[in-house]
Amino acid sequence: MGDTPGREGARKRRLLKPSLGSFEKNERKPEGTTSMGSLDYSEYLEEESSASAFTWEVKANDRTYNSRFKEKLFLCWRRKKYKGNVINTAKYNFFSFLPLNLYEQLRRMSNLYFLFIILLQALFPVISTIPWFTLFTPLICLIIIRAIRNLVDDIGRHRSDKSINNRPCQMLVGESFLFKKWKDLYVGDLVCLRNDNMVPADMLLLASTEPSSLCYVETADIDGETNLKYRQAPIVTHQELTSVKNMASFQGKVVCEEPNSRMHNFLGCLEWEGKKYSLDSGNILLRGCRIRNTDTCYGMVIYAGFDTKIMRNCGKVHLKSTKIDSLMNKLVILIFAFVVLISLALTCGFSMRVKKFRAGHYYVPDIYKYSVTSESFFIFLSFLILLSVMMPMAMFIIAEFIYLGNSFFIDWDMEMYYEPQDIAAKARNTSLSVQLGQVQYLFSDKTGTLTQNIMTFKTCCIGGIVYSPEKEEALNKENPYLWNKYADRKLFFRNARLLNIVRSNKDRMVQEFWRLLAICHTVMVEERGDKLLYQAASPDEEALVTAARNFGYVFLTRTQDSITVMELGEQRVYQVLAMMDFNSVRKRMSVLVRNPEGSIYLYTKGADTVILSRLRMKGLNKKEQITKAATEEALTSFAEQTLRTLCLAYKKVEEDMYKDWCQRHQDASVLLQNRAQALHRVYEEIEQNLQLLGVTAIEDRLQNGVPETIQCLKKGNIKVWVLTGDKQETAVNIGFACQLLSEDMLILQEEQIISILETYRENNSNLPQVKMAAMVVTGEFLVSVSSGLTVGPQKEQHTRGEGGLLEKPKQMPPGDDKLMRSTTGFMVQNKDNNTQEIPEVWQKQAFVELASRCQAVICCRVTPKQKALIVALVKKYQKVVTLAIGDGANDVNMIKTADIGVGLAGQEGMQAVQNSDYMLAQFCFLRRLLLVHGRWSYMRVCKFLRYFVYKTLAVMMVQIWFSFYNGFAAQPLYEAWFLALFNLLYTTLPVLYIGLFEQDVSDKQSLELPELYIAGQKDKLFNYLVFIQAMAHGTATSLVNFFMTLWVSRDIAGPISDYQSFAVVMATSGLLTVTMEVILIIKYWTILFVLAIFLSLCFYIVINYVTQRFWFFTISPKTFSFLYVNQNVLSQPSALLVVLLNVSVNTLPVLAFRVIQATLMQPSPKEKEKEEEEEEAAAAPPEEIPLLPRGRRSSYAFSHQEGYANLITQGTILRRPTMAHMHPDPMTSDEMLSTSNDAI
C-alpha cells in the first residue's frame, strides 16, 4: 500500500523522544518497515548516536583513498575501517576449531566429571580400582563424535558462504565492466547490475537505462513485501554519467552515517566537483534486493560485507542446546555431589575401621603404612573412582547415536518429501531432535512461508450480483477467451454468464466495472511483438488489470496525461486529468479522466470501509438500495473466504465542478508547507457521492495444508506468532485465511494493549485472562513498548477498526506521574521517581506476559533484527522452547535466535535453509516434524534416560552395600570385565531400541491426537521427580538383589558361599532384573526388540564363557581372575533359584503397582464432565475486556507503494520514443566483452 511505515515511524519517534529531534530533522523519505533495529532502547540510542555521526567517507574509483582509513582494534593495533565484501557466517575456522570446540564440549558438566575421574586415575594409579583407559577411551570417542558432528554442520556454512562470495557481478575496472566475484568488491567500486540480478552490496544508485534513472527493486528477501519499490539516482549523476567513460572518471565522494542495522533509513550527501547533493534511502540499493523491470543500472558500493544493513540484521551463530542437556548438566552435579557424600560416609567408616583394627592388631604394623588421615584420603579417592560408574559415559555415547538415528528418520520420511520440487526434509542439526518434542512457541514468517506469493483473481460482485468461478469441470473445456487476442492464458477465472454480459455490451454497471479496472491503476505496459507485458508495482494490480484484459477491456498504453484502452475491440483514449494515489491513510486510489465523448468521470477503488462511507446516500432508488445491501453481503462472504477485497465506485463530474476543484487542486499542489495534507483535503472533496459498482476478490494463495497445520498445532498447545515485514491489513487477512484468527476472537489493537499495561502498572493488578483474544501490533509499537514509552491516541469513544479489530479508548489513570504529553497523545510515563524498577523491564515483561496469554499474535512491519529480538524476549521471560520458521534472508536472524530454526526451501533463495537446523519444503510438513518425529524423539530419549539411570543404579549401587562387608576397602564387587561391558554391550541393544524405535502410539494417532504433545512441553516424561523415582527404583532393586542373596547364602555352605560366586549371582540377578524391566516398559514390540534381548543375553553368556577360560587365566591371572566361576555357580539349581527369587521379588511388585496406578488414574465419568465444564468456562470470552457488538470484518488488503501516481503524472516513469538520455549497455562493444583472469 502507499504510505511506507518508515515515514510513520519517523513521525512517531519525533513525538516520542525530543532528544532524537536533531537527528530526525534530517530524515528524508525512509521507506519500508520500521527502522528500529533493536527492541532495546538503550542499544537503539547508542546505535543512533553513532550512526548520526557522518564519518563514513567513500570515494568512487579510488581504493587507495578508501583503504587509508583505519580504526582502533586493541591498544595500539589498528585495522582497515572499511571491510571487504567477503562474508563468513561459519562458527569455526582452521585455527579456532580445536580450541573452540573443546571449550564448548568441556562446558558440559558430564565431560568435566569424567575428565576429573580420569585425572584421579592417572595421578594416583595405586588407588585406582579400574584402569584409567576404561574411561579415557570412551571420553575421547565421545568428544570426537561430537566434534565431527559440529564440523560437518560448519562445513555446510562454509560452503554456503563460498557460494555467495563467488557469485558473479560486473565491476568497473579501468574503462570497462568486467566479470568479478562478489568477494572482490570493495567500497567505492562501481558495479553494473541487470534485470533479475541480486544486489551484492549496499550501493548508491548512479544511473539506469530507465527514464529518469529509476530502478525497480523487489525487497521480499529483506522485508517480505512482494510489491515493487522504486529507487532513483541523484539528478546530477543521472545527467552526467551517460557513458562508461564518464563513470570511469567519476570521482565523487559519499559522506554518510556509519553502518547500522536500520534497514530503510539512510542519510548522507554526495560531494562532487565542489558541490554537495543530498542522499536518502530512495537513492540506495540494499544488499539482498533483486533488480526488477530494469534492463541495466549502475551503482557505487558504500557498505560492503558485514557493514551492509542485511548482514547487520543477520545476527551471530548461537550455540544451541536442549532442555534435556541443561537438565542433565544439573543432574550430573547432583550425582557428583551424591557420590562425594557417599564416598565421605564410606571413608568415615573406613577411618573408624582402621582405628579399631590398629588398636586390636598392633603387632601387624605393615598393613597400613601411612597415617589414618592419609589412608582415609586415598580411600576417599578410591571410592570416587569406584562409584564413578553411577554416571556412565556409555549413556552419553549412546545418546549421540540416538540423536543421529532420529535425525536420519526425519531425512528418510517420505511423508515429508515434496515431489514437485524434489525436496526432502533434512535434519541439518543432529542434536536437537529431542527439542522438537517440547516446542511451545512457533514464530513464522508470512510471505513465502504461509503463502505462495501468488495473487489470483478469484471472483467479483458487480451490481450486487456475485459471479463465482465455474467448477473445475468447466476448466477442462475450450478456453472462452480465444476471441480476445490480448487475453492472458494464465488467468483461470472463468464465468460464462459474466462473459456473455460483457460481450453483449448492454449492462452499464458491467461496462464501468471493467473500465475502472483498466484505467484506475499505475501499471506500466511494454509491447513485445504482438504481446503485452504488464509491469506492476504490486501483484494485486497486475491480477486486476489482467482480469480486465481477458474480459475485453485491455490496457494498451499510457502517456503523462492519457491512457489508451481497447474496449471490446474499440480503441479509446482517455485524458487523465488527475491521479490520486494510494497511501496507508486514504486506503484508496482515484483517477479523474475525460472520455472521448468529452464527459468527465471519477473512478475510485479502495477499502470497503472508506468507499462505502463515500457513496451517494440521498435519492437512492430501490434497485440501488438492493445493490448496496447485496454488495455488503458479498463483502461478508468474501471476508469469510479470506479473500482480499477492493470496492469499486465511480461518478460523473460536471464541467463547472471540475474547474472549481481543479483550481483548488492546483493551489494545493504548489504549497511549500503541509502540501500533502492540503492535497488530501482536496481529494476528499471530490471523492464523495460515489456510485457503487462492485467488489473484486483476490486470493493470496496459501501453501497447501497451512490452515490444517496451524489448527493441529494449536490443539497441541503450540502458540503461533506471525512475524512479517508486510503491512497490517495483509497480515491480518492472512491470519484469517490460515485460521490463526477467527471471527469470534477479540483482536487487541495497540490502544487496548497500552491501556491494559498502564492499568497493570498503576494498580499493580494482575493481567487479564485473554484466552479468546489475539494481538496485532507493529514493529514501531514494539519499540515503544520495549523502551518504556507508552503510545496511543486518545479517543473519546469506542470505534471499530479495520479488519473487525476492536479499538478501545485509552483510559489514562489519574496521577501526577505523567511527565510529558504531546498534542497527539504520546506520553512518557514513570510511576515513581524513587522506584527501583526500570520502565523498560516491567513493560517488556508485562507485554510478553499479556501476549503469551493470547491465542495468536501477529507482528507486522518488523525488521529482521526485531524478529530475532521478539523471539529473544519470549525466551527470556517465558522460559520456553521456541521454533522459528522462514524462507528468506530476512528470517535468518530469527532462525538463529530461536531454540530450533526451520528453513523452507522457497522462492526467496536458500539463505534461511543454510542457517537453519531443519529444512522443509512446505509449512505443512511442520506438523509431522513436531507431532510425530519431535514427540517420538522426546519420548524415546526420556524413556532411555530414565531406564539407563535405573539400570545403572540397580546394578552399581551394590558396590556401596558391599563396602559395609569388606571393611570399607573400596574393593569392587564385580569382575572387571562385567564392569567394563555391562553398559557397553550387555544392555546396549535394548537401550538403543528404546531410543530409536520405541512408539507409544503410531504416527497416525500422533497426528490425530495432538494433545499428546503437551507432555513434552510440561517436561512430564523426564524431570527431577522422574529422576528421583528412577534412583529410588534402582536403589530398591540393588537392595533386594544384595541382601536377598546375602540372606540366602549366610551360614549355608553352598555354591555362593565365596566372594566370586556371590559376585556372579549378583551380576546375573542384576542383568536379568533390568532386562525384565525393559521388557515391561517397552510398548512397541517388533522382531528387532526380541533379537536385541536375545543377543544381549547371548553376549553375557559367551563373553563370560570365553574370559573365564584357563588359557586366558594363564596369560594374566590378575585380569582374568574369575576362572570357571560362572560355569560352576550357574550350573547349581540353588544358585539359579536365588537368581529367580531376586528377579521375581524385583519385578512382581513393580508390575502390580503399575497396574493399580493405571487403573486409579483413569478419570471417572463425573471427573470427565467436570473437566469438560472447566474447558467450556475457560473458552468463554474474558470478562476483563468487554466485547462490543462485532460488525462486518473488512478483508481489504492491497500491496502498493505511494508515489507511482506522481511519477506517471510528472512523466518521470514513462519511456519516450526518442530518449534524450540513454545509458549505453556496457556489454555492447567488443572492448566491453573482455574479461579478467578470474572471471566467472
Side-chain angles (χ1 to χ4, degrees):
M1 206 168 61
D3 201 7
T4 61
R7 293 189 176 95
E8 294 182 3
R11 175 174 56 83
K12 289 184 179 180
R13 287 193 297 278
R14 285 196 292 270
L15 296 170
L16 284 175
K17 196 73 172 176
S19 62
L20 300 182
S22 60
F23 172 72
E24 297 292 353
K25 286 178 184 177
N26 300 320
E27 189 172 2
R28 299 180 181 87
K29 297 194 302 181
E31 298 181 8
T33 60
T34 173
S35 64
M36 301 294 285
S38 173
L39 294 180
D40 189 327
Y41 197 60
S42 61
E43 290 181 6
Y44 169 71
L45 287 178
E46 183 178 349
E47 187 176 55
E48 181 113 325
S49 176
S50 63
S52 61
F54 292 86
T55 57
W56 193 265
E57 297 183 15
V58 178
K59 194 171 184 180
N61 297 317
D62 195 341
R63 287 198 175 189
T64 304
Y65 175 86
N66 296 327
S67 61
R68 73 181 187 182
F69 289 92
K70 307 289 183 181
E71 64 179 359
K72 185 176 179 181
L73 180 61
F74 177 72
L75 296 179
C76 60
W77 282 274
R78 301 174 68 84
R79 65 178 180 183
K80 289 184 179 181
K81 181 178 181 180
Y82 301 143
K83 298 179 175 64
N85 205 39
V86 177
I87 62 167
N88 180 18
T89 61
K91 192 192 315 185
Y92 311 109
N93 57 38
F94 180 80
F95 298 102
S96 67
F97 172 72
L98 187 59
L100 184 57
N101 190 262
L102 281 176
Y103 166 74
E104 292 174 352
Q105 296 212 45
L106 291 179
R107 290 175 61 186
R108 297 173 181 259
M109 295 305 301
S110 59
N111 290 347
L112 286 177
Y113 174 73
F114 294 129
L115 183 61
F116 172 71
I117 298 298
I118 291 171
L119 290 176
L120 285 182
Q121 292 176 309
L123 295 175
F124 305 99
V126 177
I127 63 168
S128 178
T129 54
I130 53 179
W132 63 272
F133 55 81
T134 58
L135 281 179
F136 180 76
T137 303
L139 180 62
I140 293 299
C141 292
L142 179 62
I143 290 176
I144 290 176
I145 290 171
R146 288 174 173 167
I148 291 175
R149 182 192 66 196
N150 294 335
L151 180 62
V152 170
D153 293 342
D154 210 55
I155 288 175
R157 298 189 188 97
H158 278 285
R159 288 175 177 172
S160 169
D161 295 338
K162 185 177 180 180
S163 65
I164 293 174
N165 292 330
N166 289 332
R167 286 176 177 173
C169 65
Q170 291 177 264
M171 185 176 73
L172 183 63
V173 180
E175 293 189 358
S176 61
F177 281 93
L178 307 180
F179 275 109
K180 294 281 187 176
K181 300 176 181 179
W182 279 24
K183 65 181 181 181
D184 298 326
L185 292 178
Y186 193 70
V187 293
D189 291 343
L190 268 60
V191 179
C192 172
L193 298 173
R194 299 180 180 278
N195 192 36
D196 292 333
N197 281 1
M198 189 76 77
V199 180
D202 292 351
M203 304 190 306
L204 168 65
L205 178 62
L206 297 177
S208 80
T209 54
E210 296 299 303
S212 304
S213 282
L214 287 171
C215 179
Y216 303 98
V217 294
E218 181 183 83
T219 59
D221 234 11
I222 295 178
D223 55 22
E225 292 190 9
T226 56
N227 56 299
L228 297 185
K229 298 178 176 62
Y230 65 87
R231 300 291 183 260
Q232 190 169 10
I235 296 177
V236 60
T237 58
H238 162 68
Q239 294 175 343
E240 298 295 333
L241 302 183
T242 58
S243 66
V244 176
K245 184 176 180 180
N246 292 348
M247 291 184 185
S249 62
F250 177 59
Q251 291 292 307
K253 183 172 70 173
V254 173
V255 180
C256 60
E257 58 192 8
E258 292 285 322
N260 56 77
S261 61
R262 301 195 304 277
M263 293 295 299
H264 298 279
N265 275 21
F266 178 82
L267 290 176
C269 68
L270 172 64
E271 298 179 2
W272 188 26
E273 297 180 348
K275 295 182 180 180
K276 294 184 177 181
Y277 308 91
S278 64
L279 302 175
D280 57 28
S281 59
N283 308 122
I284 302 301
L285 302 176
L286 296 182
R287 178 185 177 119
C289 295
R290 190 176 292 276
I291 306 299
R292 296 293 192 193
N293 298 346
T294 305
D295 291 335
T296 309
C297 66
Y298 307 89
M300 166 187 168
V301 177
I302 299 177
Y303 304 128
F306 284 102
D307 288 332
T308 59
K309 292 182 180 292
I310 186 65
M311 295 307 299
R312 288 261 173 168
N313 277 271
C314 276
K316 299 179 179 179
V317 177
H318 298 273
L319 179 62
K320 296 185 178 182
S321 61
T322 65
K323 290 177 70 176
I324 295 290
D325 288 338
S326 302
L327 179 59
M328 287 306 299
N329 279 337
K330 298 173 183 176
L331 293 180
V332 167
I333 297 175
L334 291 178
I335 292 174
F336 178 70
F338 174 74
V339 169
V340 170
L341 292 176
I342 294 297
S343 299
L344 284 173
L346 296 176
T347 302
C348 291
F350 170 79
S351 179
M352 291 186 291
R353 177 74 175 80
V354 169
K355 292 179 181 178
K356 183 178 179 181
F357 182 86
R358 285 188 172 180
H361 301 81
Y362 58 87
Y363 51 84
V364 190
D366 293 335
I367 296 214
Y368 297 104
K369 300 179 181 179
Y370 305 102
S371 65
V372 174
T373 304
S374 299
E375 291 285 354
S376 299
F377 175 71
F378 288 130
I379 285 296
F380 171 71
L381 296 181
S382 296
F383 275 120
L384 282 182
I385 296 173
L386 178 64
L387 299 179
S388 64
V389 293
M390 296 179 66
M391 176 53 69
M393 189 179 299
M395 180 175 71
F396 297 95
I397 297 176
I398 294 173
E400 292 297 323
F401 286 103
I402 291 174
Y403 291 152
L404 184 63
N406 283 297
S407 299
F408 283 151
F409 293 150
I410 293 174
D411 298 346
W412 297 337
D413 191 349
M414 294 304 296
E415 296 293 329
M416 295 193 294
Y417 171 71
Y418 189 58
E419 189 174 0
Q421 295 183 2
D422 191 25
I423 297 176
K426 174 69 176 176
R428 304 182 75 250
N429 189 326
T430 58
S431 62
L432 298 179
S433 57
V434 62
Q435 194 100 308
L436 289 171
Q438 298 180 281
V439 175
Q440 288 180 258
Y441 282 78
L442 169 63
F443 300 92
S444 174
D445 179 38
K446 179 190 74 69
T447 307
T449 304
L450 300 177
T451 65
Q452 300 183 36
N453 274 350
I454 299 175
M455 303 290 178
T456 58
F457 188 90
K458 190 69 175 179
T459 184
C460 63
C461 173
I462 306 176
I465 302 174
V466 176
Y467 298 95
S468 301
E470 296 177 347
K471 297 181 180 180
E472 295 184 2
E473 294 80 13
L475 297 178
N476 298 325
K477 298 180 181 179
E478 184 180 0
N479 188 347
Y481 304 117
L482 293 177
W483 60 275
N484 183 359
K485 68 175 182 178
Y486 295 106
D488 189 341
R489 296 181 180 180
K490 296 179 182 179
L491 182 70
F492 294 104
F493 174 75
R494 297 178 183 179
N495 187 291
R497 177 189 174 194
L498 177 59
L499 188 59
N500 291 333
I501 296 174
V502 171
R503 298 189 67 180
S504 65
N505 203 20
K506 296 180 180 179
D507 192 318
R508 178 66 184 274
M509 295 282 283
V510 173
Q511 293 174 4
E512 297 295 346
F513 180 90
W514 294 113
R515 184 175 291 132
L516 186 151
L517 293 180
I519 292 176
C520 186
H521 56 79
T522 59
V523 175
M524 302 302 296
V525 63
E526 182 178 349
E527 191 170 352
R528 294 183 181 177
D530 57 346
K531 295 183 178 180
L532 296 177
L533 180 63
Y534 288 154
Q535 298 177 353
S538 70
D540 305 71
E541 283 224 309
E542 183 177 2
L544 294 176
V545 177
T546 300
R549 166 183 177 176
N550 276 37
F551 278 87
Y553 288 76
V554 185
F555 164 54
L556 293 179
T557 185
R558 74 179 337 135
T559 65
Q560 184 174 347
D561 54 3
S562 69
I563 185 168
T564 303
V565 178
M566 180 74 73
E567 298 182 1
L568 299 175
E570 178 186 357
Q571 184 169 313
R572 294 170 61 86
V573 179
Y574 293 85
Q575 181 185 357
V576 179
L577 304 177
M579 293 187 71
M580 291 153 262
D581 207 355
F582 264 105
N583 65 36
S584 58
V585 177
R586 284 170 42 79
K587 297 183 180 179
R588 62 190 182 275
M589 175 187 179
S590 298
V591 175
L592 191 66
V593 298
R594 188 188 300 273
N595 65 15
E597 292 75 26
S599 300
I600 300 175
Y601 284 89
L602 177 73
Y603 295 100
T604 304
K605 65 180 181 184
D608 52 312
T609 52
V610 296
I611 297 296
L612 295 181
S613 62
R614 286 163 175 78
L615 298 179
R616 178 169 55 90
M617 297 299 179
K618 297 181 180 180
L620 293 179
N621 55 40
K622 187 175 182 180
K623 181 180 179 181
E624 291 174 332
Q625 294 175 359
I626 295 174
T627 298
K628 184 175 181 295
T631 302
E632 291 187 357
E633 289 182 7
L635 283 167
T636 303
S637 174
F638 296 161
E640 292 174 354
Q641 300 173 51
T642 65
L643 301 175
R644 299 159 64 111
T645 59
L646 282 178
C647 276
L648 311 184
Y650 83 117
K651 75 171 184 179
K652 185 176 182 180
V653 180
E654 299 298 333
E655 190 72 30
D656 295 339
M657 178 182 176
Y658 164 70
K659 290 180 179 179
D660 294 340
W661 179 86
C662 183
Q663 184 59 48
R664 291 193 298 273
H665 178 262
Q666 179 64 26
D667 295 340
S669 62
V670 296
L671 290 177
L672 299 180
Q673 294 182 346
N674 301 322
R675 181 186 300 172
Q677 292 86 338
L679 284 173
H680 288 177
R681 286 193 294 269
V682 173
Y683 295 162
E684 187 76 20
E685 291 178 9
I686 200 169
E687 292 172 329
Q688 300 292 335
N689 298 319
L690 302 175
Q691 181 179 348
L692 183 63
L693 288 174
V695 179
T696 63
I698 292 178
E699 180 185 26
D700 187 358
R701 288 188 184 176
L702 295 174
Q703 289 191 12
N704 296 330
V706 167
E708 296 80 5
T709 300
I710 289 180
Q711 285 302 303
C712 191
L713 295 179
K714 288 170 70 175
K715 290 179 181 178
N717 196 36
I718 298 176
K719 297 183 181 294
V720 181
W721 291 24
V722 175
L723 312 181
T724 177
D726 217 337
K727 61 182 180 298
Q728 181 170 324
E729 292 88 351
T730 304
V732 170
N733 201 56
I734 292 298
F736 280 100
C738 65
Q739 298 181 17
L740 181 64
L741 305 178
S742 60
E743 297 293 343
D744 59 347
M745 274 188 183
L746 169 67
I747 300 181
L748 299 179
Q749 285 257 45
E750 296 174 356
E751 293 80 9
Q752 273 188 295
I753 298 170
I754 294 166
S755 178
I756 294 171
L757 295 181
E758 288 177 351
T759 303
Y760 167 73
R761 171 68 170 168
E762 290 297 322
N763 303 330
N764 198 21
S765 58
N766 294 326
L767 289 171
Q769 295 295 329
V770 287
K771 292 185 178 180
M772 287 302 295
M775 183 181 290
V776 179
V777 294
T778 62
E780 189 71 27
F781 176 77
L782 292 171
V783 172
S784 65
V785 168
S786 64
S787 61
L789 305 175
T790 51
V791 185
Q794 302 173 41
K795 300 182 181 181
E796 298 297 330
Q797 58 185 5
H798 287 84
T799 59
R800 175 68 55 179
E802 296 305 317
L805 305 181
L806 182 64
E807 299 177 354
K808 185 179 177 180
K810 181 180 175 183
Q811 301 294 336
M812 300 301 298
D816 298 331
D817 56 350
K818 301 173 184 177
L819 302 179
M820 180 176 65
R821 184 190 299 272
S822 70
T823 56
T824 55
F826 295 90
M827 62 167 290
V828 179
Q829 189 172 352
N830 190 352
K831 181 180 179 181
D832 186 356
N833 293 331
N834 299 322
T835 183
Q836 297 180 356
E837 190 176 15
I838 303 175
E840 299 98 281
V841 175
W842 74 258
Q843 191 153 313
K844 282 190 289 189
Q845 188 169 0
F847 170 77
V848 173
E849 179 64 27
L850 178 63
S852 66
R853 299 186 182 191
C854 296
Q855 284 196 349
V857 176
I858 295 179
C859 302
C860 47
R861 293 302 204 191
V862 287
T863 65
K865 193 170 185 179
Q866 285 175 344
K867 289 184 178 183
L869 288 165
I870 292 169
V871 177
L873 280 178
V874 173
K875 289 174 60 178
K876 178 179 179 181
Y877 293 116
Q878 293 297 308
K879 310 295 183 185
V880 293
V881 177
T882 58
L883 182 147
I885 182 170
D887 71 324
N890 56 323
D891 305 314
V892 168
N893 203 349
M894 172 178 70
I895 288 173
K896 289 180 179 179
T897 305
D899 295 299
I900 302 171
V902 178
L904 292 187
Q907 301 175 356
E908 297 183 19
M910 297 294 287
Q911 293 93 330
V913 169
Q914 291 159 353
N915 290 275
S916 66
D917 303 305
Y918 295 90
M919 179 185 76
L920 298 176
Q922 292 282 287
F923 181 86
C924 61
F925 295 152
L926 193 63
R927 177 186 177 192
R928 186 172 180 85
L929 180 69
L930 296 181
L931 300 186
V932 177
H933 292 283
R935 202 186 69 81
W936 275 353
S937 296
Y938 172 73
M939 180 270 300
R940 290 166 179 168
V941 170
C942 290
K943 184 173 286 190
F944 153 76
L945 291 174
R946 185 200 179 283
Y947 174 70
F948 216 108
V949 171
Y950 158 74
K951 78 180 183 67
T952 301
L953 294 180
V955 175
M956 299 304 171
M957 279 284 283
V958 296
Q959 302 276 12
I960 299 174
W961 319 135
F962 182 61
S963 298
F964 287 91
Y965 293 88
N966 65 10
F968 303 100
Q971 178 188 1
L973 171 63
Y974 300 112
E975 183 187 11
W977 287 103
F978 181 82
L979 286 174
L981 299 176
F982 172 71
N983 284 317
L984 190 62
L985 198 60
Y986 298 159
T987 57
T988 299
L989 294 180
V991 164
L992 273 175
Y993 183 87
I994 290 176
L996 293 176
F997 302 107
E998 172 67 331
Q999 298 179 19
D1000 54 349
V1001 295
S1002 66
D1003 56 344
K1004 184 177 180 181
Q1005 290 174 315
S1006 295
L1007 296 174
E1008 293 173 350
L1009 299 171
E1011 295 82 5
L1012 297 174
Y1013 191 82
I1014 299 175
Q1017 298 172 337
K1018 297 183 177 180
D1019 300 321
K1020 286 185 176 181
L1021 301 186
F1022 192 77
N1023 49 46
Y1024 288 109
L1025 179 61
V1026 173
F1027 176 74
I1028 293 172
Q1029 290 174 350
M1031 287 189 66
H1033 188 193
T1035 303
T1037 301
S1038 68
L1039 286 169
V1040 169
N1041 284 340
F1042 183 82
F1043 288 102
M1044 184 70 70
T1045 307
L1046 187 65
W1047 174 70
V1048 171
S1049 63
R1050 178 171 293 181
D1051 299 328
I1052 298 176
I1056 52 176
S1057 58
D1058 64 289
Y1059 154 68
Q1060 289 188 342
S1061 300
F1062 184 83
V1064 167
V1065 172
M1066 287 298 304
T1068 306
S1069 298
L1071 179 61
L1072 293 179
T1073 299
V1074 299
T1075 302
M1076 284 301 300
E1077 174 65 14
V1078 77
I1079 290 174
L1080 292 178
I1081 65 174
I1082 206 75
K1083 293 185 178 181
Y1084 185 62
W1085 280 71
T1086 64
I1087 189 63
L1088 284 177
F1089 178 65
V1090 177
L1091 193 62
I1093 297 294
F1094 176 75
L1095 290 177
S1096 296
L1097 297 178
C1098 287
F1099 287 148
Y1100 175 70
I1101 295 171
V1102 171
I1103 290 177
N1104 277 301
Y1105 178 81
V1106 172
T1107 58
Q1108 295 178 9
R1109 295 292 90 193
F1110 183 77
W1111 183 75
F1112 284 103
F1113 178 78
T1114 57
I1115 294 176
S1116 178
K1118 185 177 180 180
T1119 305
F1120 302 96
S1121 58
F1122 279 57
L1123 182 62
Y1124 298 118
V1125 177
N1126 276 57
Q1127 182 178 341
N1128 294 334
V1129 173
L1130 297 181
S1131 62
Q1132 301 295 324
S1134 57
L1136 294 177
L1137 285 174
V1138 173
V1139 172
L1140 179 61
L1141 179 63
N1142 289 339
V1143 175
S1144 301
V1145 172
N1146 279 309
T1147 303
L1148 294 178
V1150 173
L1151 179 60
F1153 173 78
R1154 289 173 180 168
V1155 171
I1156 295 172
Q1157 185 184 37
T1159 304
L1160 294 178
M1161 289 185 65
Q1162 290 182 354
S1164 62
K1166 290 185 178 180
E1167 291 177 343
K1168 289 183 178 180
E1169 292 179 2
K1170 186 177 180 180
E1171 289 180 0
E1172 291 176 357
E1173 291 176 358
E1174 290 177 354
E1175 291 178 358
E1176 291 177 358
E1183 297 181 0
E1184 291 86 344
I1185 303 178
L1187 283 170
L1188 296 181
R1190 182 174 293 276
R1192 178 180 56 78
R1193 180 178 68 85
S1194 171
S1195 60
Y1196 158 75
F1198 197 70
S1199 300
H1200 202 281
Q1201 181 187 358
E1202 184 180 13
Y1204 281 95
N1206 289 334
L1207 293 177
I1208 292 172
T1209 55
Q1210 294 170 8
T1212 307
I1213 200 172
L1214 302 176
R1215 293 184 180 274
R1216 294 172 176 79
T1218 57
M1219 297 181 61
H1221 180 80
M1222 175 66 74
H1223 291 284
D1225 189 330
M1227 300 298 290
T1228 53
S1229 65
D1230 294 336
E1231 179 186 7
M1232 302 305 174
L1233 291 173
S1234 61
T1235 57
S1236 61
N1237 294 330
D1238 58 345
I1240 300 174

